[in-house]
């Protein structure tokens, strides 16, 4: 399968999954964003798809869990430290692992996540650095802790804020 075909399939799966969730919760979801590695058109690796759902309030997020679990989703309690205050649900669709991150509209993290995703899409140097890091992780050349730390450093560089904020 070519990279272009892979990316078309990812886009179709993203749209289908986003609409499925929107159909359940259209009254509380404000925004939907495709984020993470699968958003990057030139990433030649099979990777999980991450979808960010911005909801009106955190109370809305907590109310979603039981409904999604009943529909076959699994709640992930230790996705990453960065998302420890958010709800992450997972489902495998046609062999594709899809992580749905539900975040309150009041969260300060939303803008950081979207900015870092756009930097990776638009900046060839950042993209190349991230792709090399992802490849090293997938080939077990770096541990998960090393991957997280190097990804943290890369995202800090993108944000231009030094070491005083948290990583995506």
């Amino acid at each position: 399968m070519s990279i272009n075909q892979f990316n078309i399939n990812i886009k179709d799966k993203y749209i289908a999954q986003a609409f499925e969730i929107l159909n359940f919760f259209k009254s509380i979801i404000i925004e939907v964003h495709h984020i993470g590695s699968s958003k990057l058109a030139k990433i030649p690796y099979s990777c999980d798809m991450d979808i960010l759902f911005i909801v009106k309030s955190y109370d809305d997020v907590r109310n979603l869990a039981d409904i999604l679990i009943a529909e076959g989703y699994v709640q992930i309690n230790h996705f990453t430290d960065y998302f420890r205050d958010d709800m992450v649900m997972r489902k495998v669709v046609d062999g594709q692992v899809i992580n749905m991150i539900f975040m309150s509209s009041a969260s300060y993290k939303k803008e950081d996540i979207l900015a870092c995703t756009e930097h990776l899409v638009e900046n060839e140097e950042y993209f190349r650095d991230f792709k090399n890091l992802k490849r090293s992780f997938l080939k077990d050349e770096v541990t998960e802790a090393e991957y997280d730390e190097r990804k943290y450093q890369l995202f800090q560089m993108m944000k231009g804020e030094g070491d005083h904020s948290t990583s995506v």
Side-chain angles (χ1 to χ4, degrees):
M1 176 182 299
S2 71
I3 292 174
N4 287 338
Q5 184 64 38
F6 175 73
N7 289 316
I8 290 168
N9 290 339
I10 289 291
K11 187 181 287 186
D12 290 344
K13 287 179 185 178
Y14 161 70
I15 291 168
Q17 190 61 49
F19 275 111
E20 182 176 318
I21 298 299
L22 284 169
N23 283 333
F24 281 126
F25 306 111
K26 59 185 158 217
S27 65
I28 62 171
I29 293 177
I30 299 171
E31 300 173 37
V32 180
H33 302 277
H34 186 185
I35 61 170
S37 301
S38 63
K39 164 87 173 167
L40 306 173
K42 296 178 270 182
I43 284 276
Y45 315 115
S46 178
C47 45
D48 293 358
M49 178 187 303
D50 299 326
I51 303 174
L52 178 64
F53 293 92
I54 305 299
V55 297
K56 290 180 182 177
S57 75
Y58 196 73
D59 288 335
D60 292 331
V61 170
R62 279 182 266 173
N63 294 331
L64 299 176
D66 290 339
I67 297 167
L68 291 169
I69 290 168
E71 292 294 324
Y73 295 82
V74 176
Q75 188 165 2
I76 306 301
N77 294 319
H78 301 292
F79 185 61
T80 68
D81 282 346
Y82 187 76
F83 293 112
R84 70 182 164 271
D85 298 327
D86 304 303
M87 184 177 76
V88 178
M89 301 298 280
R90 178 174 287 159
K91 187 174 187 180
V92 177
V93 178
D94 297 330
Q96 174 73 52
V97 175
I98 301 175
N99 301 305
M100 289 146 289
I101 304 155
F102 294 86
M103 181 179 290
S104 167
S105 61
S107 176
Y108 67 92
K109 297 183 284 187
K110 176 188 121 180
E111 296 305 321
D112 286 349
I113 293 165
L114 297 178
C116 285
T117 298
E118 286 309 307
H119 282 304
L120 288 171
V121 168
E122 295 172 358
N123 185 302
E124 191 64 36
E125 184 178 345
Y126 289 145
F127 170 78
R128 185 183 65 248
D129 290 347
F130 182 70
K131 183 175 92 172
N132 290 338
L133 176 59
K134 186 76 159 176
R135 184 190 68 236
S136 294
F137 178 65
L138 292 172
K139 290 177 135 186
D140 290 324
E141 296 172 351
V142 297
T143 66
E144 187 171 353
E146 291 169 321
Y147 173 76
D148 288 343
E149 178 58 29
R150 289 172 59 189
K151 187 169 130 180
Y152 167 83
Q153 292 170 0
L154 176 62
F155 288 156
Q156 291 305 321
M157 190 169 42
M158 283 184 225
K159 289 172 30 180
E161 294 183 5
D163 290 335
H164 64 275
S165 64
T166 56
S167 138
V168 175

